[in-house]
Amino acid sequence: MQLDALKYFLYVVEDRSISKAAKKAHISQSALSQMIHKLEEDLGYELLNRSNRGVTLTPMGEIVIKYANNIIKNFDKMMVDLSNHQKQQSKITVTGTWSLVAYSLPCMIYNVKKRFPEVEFDLVAKNLDEILSDIKNDLSDLGFIDVYMEEEDNLMYYNMGKEKVVLIAKSDYKIPDKITLSELVDVELIMCTINKKTCENIDISLKPLHKKLDNLNIMFKADSLTAVKSSILNGFGVAFVPYESIKYELYEEAIKLIEVEGLNLDYDIYMVSKKTKELSEVVRASREYLIEEGRKSFC
């Protein structure tokens, strides 16, 4: 089976048109049609329903598309690894949750790069399922997540410390420096949805009050820490954010911390990788360095 045909099949499905896909692939429409037919012959199944309105996937096509992306990504990574080996170079891909990549992991990458200057590091933000899937499929070497998973599928987990979560407001915002959980219910809150762990922990903490997250006075929700911080600096309310993300604003005294009695939203950070025997020498060395350094490697 030709890998190019599989790539072009993805183009066709994405554009729902063989003609549009042919333009994207810079080949003739007839040549692309022949390649797709050859792909169907090789697999032994019809993958596309063709009509004047374009193309749609058959049930067999749905199965192929589910695996095609990983097949191509693995092939591309194999070619990179081959090239790196030939050049005596190494590359490590690190994936992490959006909030960790935004603030905590860059310092870690900087520190490990200092230790292994010959290694090229790529840092990518993804959701939990994507991180674990990429590790399992060798599309990523090390992952950083905020949920402990049972050790399965040949993966190993290492506790790297805690992410501190704090409640912040603009420095002149009219709110006491210390409030109760009951008082939190009435405060105007900007909710950052980038970290589901914080949302889950708030829900748990509100149970004794017979309240849930949605019972809070949430002005709006945002999936961007930058948008949340901007709203706070404009005096729009208060927000729960990772401590690492507001160090500069605290130093500049642009914002202040608010203590909520009895509320602790800190959560653990875990590094995940495949088992040692399946790792390259450079990934294994980088992982061991990070385990040894632990929390010191973060910002």
Side-chain angles (χ1 to χ4, degrees), residues 18-70:
I18 292 178
S19 60
K20 290 180 181 178
K23 289 180 181 179
K24 182 185 292 186
H26 304 293
I27 61 175
S28 69
Q29 184 174 337
S30 60
L32 179 54
S33 293
Q34 291 175 15
M35 292 184 74
I36 298 300
H37 278 299
K38 182 65 167 59
L39 176 64
E40 291 177 317
E41 288 178 4
D42 289 345
L43 295 174
Y45 300 102
E46 188 173 332
L47 305 179
L48 297 172
N49 296 312
R50 298 162 175 84
S51 71
N52 293 333
R53 295 182 179 179
V55 297
T56 58
L57 287 168
T58 65
M60 294 303 186
E62 294 279 1
I63 294 175
V64 171
I65 204 70
K66 185 170 66 173
Y67 292 97
N69 275 308
N70 271 343

Side-chain angles (χ1 to χ4, degrees), residues 111-138:
N111 289 330
V112 76
K113 175 68 175 180
K114 285 286 189 179
R115 174 65 178 80
F116 302 99
E118 74 284 357
V119 179
E120 178 184 347
F121 291 91
D122 280 351
L123 180 59
V124 183
K126 294 193 174 184
N127 64 41
L128 174 63
D129 291 339
E130 291 172 328
I131 293 169
L132 296 178
S133 175
D134 282 1
I135 295 289
K136 293 173 187 176
N137 291 300
D138 296 315

Side-chain angles (χ1 to χ4, degrees), residues 31 68 71 87 97 100 103 129 142 147 165 169 175 181 187 191 224 243 251 253 277 284:
I71 291 173
K87 297 175 184 177
T97 59
L100 290 177
Y103 292 100
D129 291 339
L142 300 172
V147 179
V165 178
I175 186 173
L181 197 56
V187 173
M191 198 64 214
S224 163
Y243 177 75
Y251 177 78
E253 298 184 346
K277 64 181 180 181
R284 184 163 58 248

Side-chain angles (χ1 to χ4, degrees), residues 3 50 77 95 135 213 247:
L3 192 69
R50 298 162 175 84
K77 190 170 189 301
T95 49
I135 295 289
L213 178 63
K247 282 183 174 180

Side-chain angles (χ1 to χ4, degrees), residues 181-210:
L181 197 56
S182 297
E183 290 171 326
L184 175 66
V185 175
D186 297 318
V187 173
E188 292 184 347
L189 183 67
I190 310 300
M191 198 64 214
C192 182
T193 59
I194 196 172
N195 193 304
K196 293 182 180 179
K197 192 67 177 178
T198 297
C199 297
E200 292 171 0
N201 288 343
I202 292 175
D203 254 340
I204 294 170
S205 299
L206 289 171
K207 278 187 177 180
L209 299 180
H210 305 290

